[in-house]
DNA sequence: TCTATATAGTTACAAGCGTAACGGTTGCGA
DNA sequence: TCGCAACCGTTACGCTTGTAACTATATAGA
């Protein structure tokens, strides 16, 4: 296999894991994005902010950066957009005036409940397509590859 | 952490397949991108064009669109950039003057060989991390999810 | 205390992107 | 044959993004 005198096999993009991962990620994200885009005009980052605030209740912007692995400038802009539409409230912290607590408004919670339910259904369909057991193994592999180090 | 008032059926981004796919795709693509970016100043689309021309020899721009699932405007810009750096040649077709054949120059082929070898090594490391057998199953799942329909 | 280093979040600017329109070409059907 | 639709590739425009700088606050060390 690794005879140094013979040229090694040519590279094939179609079997390259990063490429395949991108294709699958694009296809599924693109497909689900209609759910929050057409109904609420949110982009992906805004939806992720809503999803994390919906789950954790209250977070700071930098918390969201860490948890969801999103750039802080993206979070900053998403928070502004969500606030302007009345889906999110900011609250200053007395003990550290650099940060602010973010919380979904009632309207924001309703949106989280709506899109969240559809996300659960969407996820269930994807897992059914893979087979429920295989989906578990698949998820483990994704987490392994997503781990920072390489 | 968890708001005790939220019901347990709430959506959790951390188990959502499109999210996990994005994380894994971003992590691996980002990690490998250093290989072609620092050495040759290519972006992802340019690298994909090189990879496909390296494999197939000669293609038209629209061929690349179909094969690599890239927007035609991105391909157009990538081809221009690669041509200006002398890594790719265009050739008019007599029987259809709308299209042009694209081929890597000698320099382009050398780049393909270099980056391609590193890609193969990178891919091998990823698959080793998953376990070679598991990686096969993983690849099948990715192809299934990347299929257009949902 | 005073300095300097780190952090939180915002903003400016340039680069990248997708949508839509465009010019040029081909092929099909009336 | 003409006319019209489909196609290839490029360009124009506006929106999104990342990098780097910035303000403001907090913390650690001399």
């Amino acid at each position: 296999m690794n005879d140094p005198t013979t040229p090694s096999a040519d590279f094939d993009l179609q079997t390259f894991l990063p490429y395949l991962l991108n294709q699958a990620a694009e296809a599924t994200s693109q497909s689900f994005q209609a759910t929050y885009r057409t109904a609420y005009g949110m982009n992906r980052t805004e939806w992720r902010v809503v999803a994390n605030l919906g789950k954790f209740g209250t977070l700071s912007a930098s918390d969201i950066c860490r948890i969801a692995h999103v750039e802080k400038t993206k979070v900053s802009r998403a928070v502004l957009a969500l606030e302007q539409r009345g889906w999110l409230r900011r609250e200053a912290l007395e003990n550290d005036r650099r940060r602010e607590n973010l919380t979904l408004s009632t309207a924001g919670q309703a949106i989280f409940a709506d899109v969240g339910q559809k996300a659960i259904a969407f996820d269930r369909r994807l897992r059914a397509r893979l087979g429920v057991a295989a989906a578990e193994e698949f998820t483990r592999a994704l987490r392994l590859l997503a781990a920072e180090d390489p």
Side-chain angles (χ1 to χ4, degrees), chain A residues 29-30 32-52 64 70-71 73-85 87 111 115:
Chain A
S29 288
Q30 203 78 351
F32 182 67
Q33 127 177 322
T35 303
Y36 52 80
R37 178 164 301 230
T38 66
Y40 302 105
M42 285 192 286
N43 66 26
R44 197 180 298 177
T45 306
E46 286 159 24
W47 155 236
R48 285 196 188 169
V49 169
V50 167
N52 278 290
I64 297 178
V70 184
E71 297 278 325
T73 60
K74 273 210 258 184
V75 171
S76 175
R77 291 188 261 247
V79 166
L80 178 65
L82 294 171
E83 185 192 28
Q84 287 175 340
R85 280 177 266 183
W87 296 339
I111 291 171
V115 181

Side-chain angles (χ1 to χ4, degrees), chain A residues 97-145:
Chain A
R97 275 181 299 173
R98 292 173 303 182
R99 355 182 47 163
E100 35 192 17
N101 274 347
L102 307 172
T103 314
L104 290 181
S105 67
T106 307
Q109 284 170 9
I111 291 171
F112 170 66
D114 176 31
V115 181
Q117 285 310 306
K118 286 169 181 159
I120 290 172
F122 184 84
D123 197 64
R124 209 171 280 146
R125 283 199 297 278
L126 290 181
R127 288 172 191 274
R129 228 159 117 189
L130 298 177
V132 179
E136 272 311 301
E137 182 56 29
F138 184 66
T139 301
R140 250 193 305 281
L142 288 177
R143 288 224 169 82
L144 192 58
L145 294 179

Side-chain angles (χ1 to χ4, degrees), chain A residues 48-68 75 79 88-91 93 99-104:
Chain A
R48 285 196 188 169
V49 169
V50 167
N52 278 290
L53 290 177
K55 180 184 178 193
F56 293 109
T58 294
L59 295 169
S60 74
S62 58
D63 290 336
I64 297 178
C65 292
R66 272 188 299 275
I67 295 169
V75 171
V79 166
L88 166 155
R89 287 191 318 272
R90 313 164 104 118
E91 188 187 1
L93 282 180
R99 355 182 47 163
E100 35 192 17
N101 274 347
L102 307 172
T103 314
L104 290 181

